[in-house]
Amino acid sequence: MTEWLLTGTHTGPFLLPGGQVLERTDRQVAVRGTSTCSVSNDKIISHRMYFDQLELYTQRGGRLVFDEQRPPCERRAED
């Protein structure tokens, strides 16, 4: 297991989970994360990285917006 800190500047397009593209913002970002590896017979058999995607998104100028008009179960089915 490894803990890490990614730092940099958002200088190019960034693909968001919904398929939208966030264009260059020139904002500085710093995101903490962790990586885990499973090893068997001296070979890596799995590698997983975990980080807070919302932290990264908000540092680029995004914001989390809740739809107060519909219950969460209805939002999921229609989106």
Side-chain angles (χ1 to χ4, degrees):
M1 176 178 271
T2 303
E3 292 182 46
W4 44 265
L5 175 67
L6 170 120
T7 60
T9 305
H10 176 213
T11 61
F14 183 76
L15 183 61
L16 299 171
Q20 305 93 338
V21 175
L22 179 61
E23 296 299 332
R24 176 185 186 143
T25 64
D26 289 321
R27 291 177 181 249
Q28 298 293 311
V29 294
V31 179
R32 296 166 306 227
T34 185
S35 299
T36 62
C37 288
S38 297
V39 178
S40 179
N41 296 325
D42 295 325
K43 294 183 181 180
I44 296 173
I45 57 172
S46 71
H47 178 240
R48 294 183 174 92
M49 291 189 342
Y50 301 93
F51 65 97
D52 187 341
Q53 294 180 31
L54 183 57
E55 181 180 31
L56 180 60
Y57 181 67
T58 56
Q59 288 183 36
R60 290 189 171 135
R63 61 190 173 98
L64 183 61
V65 177
F66 292 99
D67 181 353
E68 300 293 343
Q69 304 303 316
R70 296 182 291 164
C73 60
E74 289 179 18
R75 278 185 249 145
R76 196 67 144 158
E78 294 177 11
D79 292 341

